[in-house]
Amino acid sequence: MLPDDAIIVCAAGLVLLALVAWISIVDLRRLVIPDTANLLLAVTGLAYGYLASGTFPWPSVAGALFLFLLLFLVRLMHSRIRGKVGLGLGDVKLGGAAGLWLQPLDLPLLMLLASLSAIAGIIIVHTIRGGVLESRRLPFGPFLGVSLIAVWFCEALLHPGFNYSGGL
């Protein structure tokens, strides 16, 4: 029989996989992330943070808010400079919801992996389909989602029960 912590991590992992799959499929097909999916990701991230630490996950909430505001600022600046939206509001919300699943110190790794995988995706799409890169629209949600799974999985395996606000 598995210990309670292992059951929580396994259940949370399955929920996370299902939500990221839903978000990725919809975003790849329609270039939009459903608000319901982002809301469910946020709520389950909060629940996981509480169940994993036994207390309300304030550090994760602060990190999620910071990441949301940072992505919103990137969206706003890109829109003002380029005259078109480069990062959808659903992606901004997804970043905030993803932050609730992780410890704040892991958020730079999340964004690094998401950005590098998106750049690789752009290169692959350009190589396969050809054409001008500026005319191609590539959803960021799947890259952010897969990176969330990777960072969360490593966090859950390498530092079970670890919480940056006060140790174990």
Side-chain angles (χ1 to χ4, degrees):
M1 183 166 196
L2 291 173
D4 289 344
D5 290 348
I7 292 171
I8 291 170
V9 170
C10 289
L14 290 174
V15 168
L16 182 58
L17 284 170
L19 288 172
V20 167
W22 175 24
I23 288 167
S24 297
I25 290 167
V26 172
D27 201 16
L28 284 167
R29 288 184 180 166
R30 299 189 335 206
L31 295 172
V32 66
I33 297 173
D35 284 339
T36 306
N38 274 332
L39 180 62
L40 284 172
L41 189 68
V43 169
T44 54
L46 275 175
Y48 169 72
Y50 177 78
L51 291 172
S53 68
T55 139
F56 191 80
W58 288 112
S60 294
V61 171
L65 181 59
F66 176 78
L67 185 55
F68 174 85
L69 292 173
L70 179 66
L71 290 174
F72 188 79
L73 182 62
V74 167
R75 170 188 160 86
L76 186 64
M77 288 176 56
H78 181 274
S79 180
R80 294 243 168 107
I81 292 170
R82 299 289 307 247
K84 59 184 173 181
V85 175
L87 185 64
L89 193 53
D91 297 316
V92 173
K93 294 175 195 175
L94 177 58
L100 293 170
W101 279 85
L102 302 172
Q103 296 295 329
L105 293 178
D106 288 333
L107 296 181
L109 179 59
L110 169 72
M111 293 311 299
L112 176 67
L113 291 176
S115 300
L116 290 176
S117 61
I119 290 168
I122 289 169
I123 291 169
I124 290 168
V125 167
H126 177 68
T127 302
I128 292 171
R129 294 187 183 168
V132 180
L133 286 176
E134 285 187 9
S135 66
R136 300 276 182 213
R137 291 186 65 194
L138 195 64
F140 189 55
F143 300 106
L144 192 54
V146 168
S147 299
L148 169 61
I149 290 169
V151 174
W152 177 85
F153 187 73
C154 288
E155 194 177 272
L157 282 181
L158 300 175
H159 303 290
F162 186 77
N163 136 12
Y164 293 126
S165 66
L168 294 174

